């Protein structure tokens, strides 16, 4: 039977730190993307519509109901 040998541990492992400069642009991009998606799901209809027609409404119709937005 084979024996397994665990490597010696020197203490608890510390989590890796991420500099704010590398995370901040991605966080801003993600926030803007979420706001745009929230607009198209929640408000792209009627008087606030940026696009004419009902194409966007039909694409996000089920998502509107899932998130609790009234649409008709």
């Amino acid at each position: 039977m084979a024996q397994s040998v665990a490597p010696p541990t020197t203490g608890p492992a510390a989590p890796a730190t991420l500099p704010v400069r590398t995370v901040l642009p991605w966080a801003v991009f993600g926030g803007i993307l979420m706001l745009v998606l929230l607009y198209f799901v929640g408000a792209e209809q009627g008087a606030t519509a940026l696009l004419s027609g009902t194409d966007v409404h039909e694409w996000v119709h089920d998502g509107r109901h899932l998130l609790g937005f009234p649409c008709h």
Side-chain angles (χ1 to χ4, degrees):
M1 193 142 79
Q3 294 179 351
S4 63
V5 177
T9 58
T10 58
T17 58
L18 292 174
V20 174
R21 284 186 171 180
T22 59
V23 175
L24 188 62
W26 289 104
V28 170
F29 173 72
I32 291 171
L33 184 64
M34 286 302 181
L35 286 174
V36 168
L37 288 174
L38 182 65
Y39 169 77
F40 277 109
V41 171
E44 178 61 25
Q45 171 183 332
T48 62
L50 297 177
L51 305 171
S52 63
T54 61
D55 293 335
V56 173
H57 176 82
E58 294 303 324
W59 277 93
V60 299
H61 184 85
D62 292 337
R64 292 176 67 89
H65 289 295
L66 181 68
L67 294 173
F69 288 101
C71 65
H72 44 103

